[in-house]
Amino acid sequence: MYFNDGTSIEGFGMLEVKGLLDPIEKIKFRLTKDEKGDYWDFEEVSKITFIGFEFNKTFEYVKTSNLEKPKLLELLVDGNVKLLQFYDYNLYYNFEDGKPFPNVIENEKTRHYLIKETEEIATCIDCSILKSWAKNVANYLADCDTLVRDLKNHKYSFAQLDDAIIYYNDICVE
């Protein structure tokens, strides 16, 4: 776990959603398996990296709006421009006639964000129904002519979005 002051510690962590009216994802962290663990959020922590058998996943607290608190987003590509992913879970309650309890329908949406090192708020690239993700990425990374041309010519599919961001960080950043 990495703190806002630049220090870090190793231990055992997991992500949990706390609060019913104002839910926020917090990190439950403990130094040893035997400890109870404490909850941490964006006020003290900048990110956490989970290390598993054959994977590493990093989640960072990032603001996606001026009006909201920072959210935990999964870091997909690190660099001058970061590609991050947010898992948005919505629960819908479907009340049917004659049944005392509602059916709970879970709707999962994944949203992708870009943020430059100099920015405080991330930009969603697949939140708009009016513009395609490729147009949003091309507008965001307009200073890289070759990447913009490749996006307009459909060289990258959405599954290759990480490759486009890696290309930008490797080729277009001075």
Side-chain angles (χ1 to χ4, degrees), residues 33-167:
K33 287 184 180 181
D34 300 330
E35 289 181 341
K36 181 181 174 192
D38 293 314
Y39 288 98
W40 301 85
D41 64 18
F42 63 90
E43 293 179 5
E44 304 93 6
V45 176
S46 61
K47 65 182 178 179
I48 185 168
T49 299
F50 295 101
I51 300 171
F53 181 60
E54 289 188 14
F55 74 92
N56 286 349
K57 284 191 176 199
T58 298
F59 291 82
E60 289 190 16
Y61 278 109
V62 177
K63 284 192 82 159
T64 59
S65 164
N66 274 332
L67 305 174
E68 297 178 359
K69 296 175 184 172
K71 301 176 184 177
L72 273 171
L73 280 64
E74 181 181 357
L75 179 65
L76 301 177
V77 175
D78 197 3
N80 289 330
V81 172
K82 294 180 181 183
L83 172 63
L84 302 127
Q85 178 172 265
F86 179 69
Y87 301 100
D88 190 10
Y89 296 98
N90 293 317
L91 297 179
Y92 298 97
Y93 298 96
N94 181 15
F95 290 92
E96 293 181 15
D97 290 335
K99 292 190 177 180
F101 299 105
N103 293 329
V104 179
I105 301 167
E106 186 175 315
N107 182 22
E108 177 185 337
K109 292 180 184 174
T110 306
R111 305 209 185 275
H112 295 82
Y113 292 85
L114 296 176
I115 190 167
K116 295 179 180 175
E117 291 178 337
T118 57
E119 297 174 335
E120 290 184 28
I121 298 174
T123 300
C124 185
I125 58 168
D126 56 358
C127 292
S128 172
I129 58 171
L130 301 176
K131 284 187 183 177
S132 72
W133 68 269
K135 285 183 183 178
N136 288 332
V137 173
N139 289 340
Y140 188 83
L141 303 175
D143 59 332
C144 184
D145 296 335
T146 55
L147 181 59
V148 170
R149 184 176 56 248
D150 289 346
L151 287 165
K152 286 182 180 179
N153 292 329
H154 308 289
K155 180 178 177 184
Y156 294 99
S157 68
F158 189 74
Q160 298 167 315
L161 176 59
D162 56 341
D163 293 333
I165 305 308
I166 291 169
Y167 176 88

